[in-house]
Each structure stands twice: as structure tokens, then as C-alpha cells.
Amino acid sequence: MSDIAKRVYDHAWRIDPIVRWLLDTDFYKLLMCQTVFQRHADVEVEFSLINRSTSVPLAALIDEADLRAQLDHIRDLRLSRGESTWLRGNTFYGKRAMFGPEFMAWLERFRMPEYRLERRGDQYELNFRGSWAEVMMWEVPALAVLMELRGRAVLRGMGKFELQVLYARAMTRVWEKIERLRKLPDLRISDFGTRRRHSFLWQDWCVQAMIEGLGPNFTGSSNCHIALRRDIEAIGTNAHELPMIAAALAGDDEALREAPYRVLENWHEDYDGNLRIILPDTYGTRGFLERAPDWLASWTGIRIDSGRPEEGAETAIAWWQSRGQDPREKLVIFSDGLDVEKIEALYARFNGRVKLGFGWGTLLTNDFRGLAPDDGLAPFSLVCKAVRANGRPTVKLSDNPAKAMGPPDQIERYKRVFGVGAQTAEPVLV
């Protein structure tokens, strides 16, 4: 196990690569990428960095040359032989050869496309443009690089013992959370913390702590390289990116209204079993479920990723019941801004009513709140989202209007088309 404090203190390399492997990314990206590769080869997209926490001046903290060096290093990465063997031969979600030979041949030749980086005041504009299947692969490593460079900037100049104490306190905090989670029988929880982690080494340490502390109740990691390295399950299904781009490409209001369901029809054909998890909140959970075709009710479960999680789960339970399904046989995965207190409360309310799963992200792999001077390591909300598809703007409404994105006139159009009424804004921590 690495001595993280010593490594941070001894850092003297010209570039210490933050992302060293192409599979240091989330599993859902590969699943979505395969679908995009097979079905949408002609779609051009643009992804952009969005810092929702404007109080964190990334460009003032992170040297532009350092950021470019990290991004350029990622562009030199290739899928290793070991990574390719793992993807081709491993069993994921009970299925061998999840990734087809044509996609694997493409991935083995893959190189990250170019990027555009400009400084605007105290923030960076970072954009990626090109083929959807290529550009989408930038999201996770770009976020990981920016989060870790920000952490390095805050830690720079701290003394050896100061760093040792900081990491000892952070380790104690993680372990105390794990001890609380041990008290929840039949808990199912995974690491979802790649995109906004403190560092790769820290995420890997957290995963090892979860393996030891929770045993079989820890179900795996979204991070492919860590899953490979630690011989655990790779966890993930799909994300908002698919319906956002499909909606942007829709020709009229009717096609727009149906776009999220067309996405899931394709997913139904491409994947089965526990990969059939509905993510309903892109344009409002309640309206999505009310209009959903009956065949969606037979899917394995649902992921709650915005708004008030208890309201989202209750809506899903009522929907299943209205479609003649037994909610006790359905999986509800909570994944929005979780920490131990929220996990405990959701477990107490829904355990036994549904099958429960938790995707624990930033507050597992980046909870250094109060441990650095001026709280300089507190987590913040940084995303990298698709903003255009074939030149058309994308829109996300979410169940939390604080997470909405897109041109104001298009946001209003989407609200009208999807029948989204008044919403309650919730604080966005991560």
C-alpha cells in the first residue's frame, strides 16, 4: 500500500501523470461508448467543462502548462495488452465477451482526440469536439486531472508531518464511515468516485478499505483499472449523456418527447439483465415514468441521481405498483451526493420495500472537508457534459433545477414538451 503523504511530499518530477492507464475511467463510459460506436458513428459532439462552484478559481490555482502536460500525456495512452485481455475475456454482470470484437479492435487502436483549452479570468474553458465515440472518452479523465491538480496546488508547500496528519485524519474519517455502514445488514454499496476523486492513489486506498471493512457488502468499483487491479466487479450502466444527445438530434417536439425511450429501446437490444437500469431524471422523473411504455416496467431497476432521493424512490415504487410489478423485486440505486448519514436514512426507509444499491462517489473518495487550511480541499461541483450534438445545443433539466443546463430558450421548450412544472432547488455539493 502506497504511503500517500510521503509521495505527495517527495513529489519532484517534471510531470507525475495523474491518469496512467486508458482504463482509469468509469465502466459506464465503455458500455455507452460501445453503443455509440455501433449506432451513432456519424454524430459529432462537443463536450465542455462546467465549474458549478465558481468560488473555486481553477485557473488561479492550476498552472496552465501543468494542465496541458497532463492532458497531452493522456493523449499518448493506449489500451495495454492486459487491459485488452481483461475486457475481452472477463465476465461482467454475468456475461462473458460483453464487448464485441469490432468495438475491441477499435478501442485497441483508440487515441484520445485533441482538446481546446483557454483561460477566462480565474476559470478554464476546456472543450472537446469530434466524433461522439471518441470525444465522450475525455469526460472522466479530464475531471480526474482537474480535481487532482487542484488538490496538488492546495497541498503544495505543506510539511511532511502536516501531510501525514492530514492523510491520517482523512483515513480515520473514511474508516469511521465504514464502521457505521457495517451495521446495515445486507447493504450493497459500490465506489462511484472516479470523476471527482482526490487522487487515483486515494481512490485506490478507499476501495481497499471498503473491501476489508465491508467484505461482500462492497459490490465493486466503477473504475475499470481499479476493478482489474483489485479483482472486484466493475460497476456501471448508462448516464444522462445518451438521452441528452438523442434529444438534441430530435427533429420536432414529438420526436423530442420520445427520444429518451428510443435510447432505452437501443439499450434493451444491446444489453440485458442487471444492465437494464433506468435513469429517469434527465427531463424529470415523474413525467418520464408516467409516459413510459409498459415494457420498461420489466427492467431490473432504477437509478436515483437528482432531486430529493426519497421522493424519487417513492415515485418509482408507485409506478411499479401501477404497472403490476412487485417493487420488492426491483433494484433502486441511489447515487447523488451520498454520504453515510444519507445512506443510513435511505436504508432505514426503503430496506425491505425494494432491493437497495448505493453508488458512493465524491464523499467517499474526496472528503477532506475541514482538513486543509481555509478548507481548501473541500469538494466542489465540476462536470464535463455534452453541450452540442451535430451543432444543436443539448439540454438537461434534472429533478433539481440547480443542475439544469442548456440555453434558456431551449430549457423552456424542453419543460413544455416534457411537462415539467415547478421544481424545488436543492443544494449541489458535488
Side-chain angles (χ1 to χ4, degrees):
M1 185 178 295
S2 300
D3 184 336
I4 301 175
K6 184 177 187 303
R7 185 178 177 88
V8 172
Y9 180 76
D10 290 344
H11 178 266
W13 305 280
R14 183 184 65 84
I15 176 175
D16 180 12
I18 289 171
V19 177
R20 296 169 180 262
W21 307 275
L22 197 62
L23 286 193
D24 183 8
T25 192
D26 281 337
F27 188 59
Y28 79 92
K29 270 293 170 182
L30 297 183
L31 293 170
M32 293 196 302
C33 188
Q34 178 168 243
T35 286
V36 171
F37 171 81
Q38 293 170 341
R39 297 177 177 275
H40 306 288
D42 60 340
V43 175
E44 299 284 313
V45 302
E46 178 181 350
F47 274 66
S48 289
L49 180 76
I50 302 170
N51 183 5
R52 293 171 176 153
S53 304
T54 55
S55 60
V56 179
L58 289 177
L61 290 168
I62 298 170
D63 181 76
E64 183 175 333
D66 290 343
L67 176 53
R68 288 187 182 276
Q70 294 290 343
L71 298 174
D72 289 341
H73 173 77
I74 293 172
R75 293 200 67 226
D76 288 335
L77 295 176
R78 299 293 187 278
L79 198 69
S80 73
R81 181 177 298 178
E83 290 173 325
S84 177
T85 299
W86 182 73
L87 286 175
R88 284 181 179 272
N90 198 34
T91 298
F92 301 104
Y93 286 84
K95 182 176 180 179
R96 187 172 292 277
M98 177 79 74
F99 299 101
E102 291 186 7
F103 175 71
M104 285 302 308
W106 174 84
L107 190 62
E108 287 163 350
R109 299 189 302 269
F110 174 72
R111 179 185 179 188
M112 288 286 194
E114 294 181 354
Y115 62 87
R116 294 179 58 190
L117 176 66
E118 294 184 34
R119 179 169 178 165
R120 301 288 187 185
D122 285 341
Q123 300 295 339
Y124 283 117
E125 285 189 3
L126 180 59
N127 299 284
F128 311 96
R129 296 176 183 172
S131 167
W132 185 5
E134 294 180 352
V135 170
M136 67 187 295
M137 295 293 285
W138 263 119
E139 177 189 355
V140 177
L143 291 174
V145 161
L146 283 154
M147 296 300 293
E148 186 161 349
L149 284 178
R150 180 259 197 165
R152 290 182 183 184
V154 172
L155 296 173
R156 190 177 299 121
M158 293 180 70
K160 177 169 59 177
F161 292 102
E162 189 176 8
L163 286 167
Q164 288 177 337
V165 170
L166 181 145
Y167 280 104
R169 287 174 173 168
M171 289 175 178
T172 299
R173 176 175 291 174
V174 171
W175 192 253
E176 287 175 346
K177 292 180 182 182
I178 290 172
E179 288 183 322
R180 288 173 63 174
L181 295 178
R182 280 174 163 174
K183 299 175 183 178
L184 306 181
D186 303 319
L187 177 71
R188 291 171 54 85
I189 190 165
S190 305
D191 156 43
F192 274 23
T194 299
R195 292 181 301 162
R196 287 184 284 268
R197 67 194 181 195
H198 173 71
S199 69
F200 172 82
L201 289 178
W202 183 249
Q203 182 184 13
D204 190 44
W205 185 92
C206 291
V207 166
Q208 292 178 75
M210 296 278 277
I211 291 170
E212 179 174 319
L214 295 177
N217 289 355
F218 177 59
T219 56
S221 173
S222 66
N223 186 287
C224 296
H225 184 79
I226 290 177
L228 184 163
R229 182 177 184 174
R230 299 299 170 194
D231 194 24
I232 57 178
E233 293 290 332
I235 303 294
T237 54
N238 55 70
H240 301 105
E241 172 184 339
L242 294 179
M244 286 174 64
I245 292 178
L249 298 175
D252 54 32
D253 285 359
E254 181 57 30
L256 172 60
R257 190 176 296 109
E258 293 301 311
Y261 306 116
R262 301 292 81 78
V263 165
L264 296 183
E265 282 183 357
N266 291 340
W267 194 265
H268 192 87
E269 294 176 5
D270 293 346
Y271 301 111
D272 54 21
N274 286 339
L275 287 176
R276 290 179 179 168
I277 301 295
I278 304 167
L279 180 62
D281 68 315
T282 310
Y283 304 119
T285 293
R286 188 174 297 277
F288 175 92
L289 294 178
E290 288 175 353
R291 293 186 297 271
D294 288 339
W295 56 265
L296 261 181
S298 68
W299 274 31
T300 301
I302 200 166
R303 180 157 71 92
I304 308 297
D305 196 55
S306 65
R308 295 176 178 172
E310 58 280 355
E311 290 184 7
E314 294 290 0
T315 298
I317 289 171
W319 175 67
W320 280 316
Q321 290 172 333
S322 73
R323 301 297 177 97
Q325 301 285 325
D326 184 353
R328 293 172 298 179
E329 299 300 317
K330 298 297 184 180
L331 175 62
V332 174
I333 301 172
F334 295 101
S335 61
D336 181 31
L338 296 180
D339 204 7
V340 64
E341 294 84 4
K342 186 178 289 187
I343 293 170
E344 290 171 332
L346 292 169
Y347 179 93
R349 179 163 178 168
F350 294 104
N351 184 45
R353 299 176 62 196
V354 295
K355 296 178 180 178
L356 280 175
F358 296 92
W360 197 7
T362 306
L363 295 179
L364 167 64
T365 62
N366 200 0
D367 188 3
F368 286 73
R369 291 173 293 181
L371 299 184
D374 301 320
D375 209 13
L377 291 178
F380 65 105
S381 186
L382 185 70
V383 297
C384 184
K385 295 288 189 182
V387 295
R388 288 179 185 83
N390 284 353
R392 298 179 178 182
T394 63
V395 172
K396 179 186 174 187
L397 298 180
S398 177
D399 286 330
N400 180 2
K403 287 187 172 184
M405 57 167 285
D409 63 322
Q410 289 298 307
I411 288 177
E412 292 307 312
R413 176 194 171 211
Y414 275 60
K415 284 183 175 180
R416 172 180 58 78
V417 169
F418 290 104
V420 177
Q423 294 178 299
T424 302
E426 300 288 337
V428 180
L429 175 61
V430 294

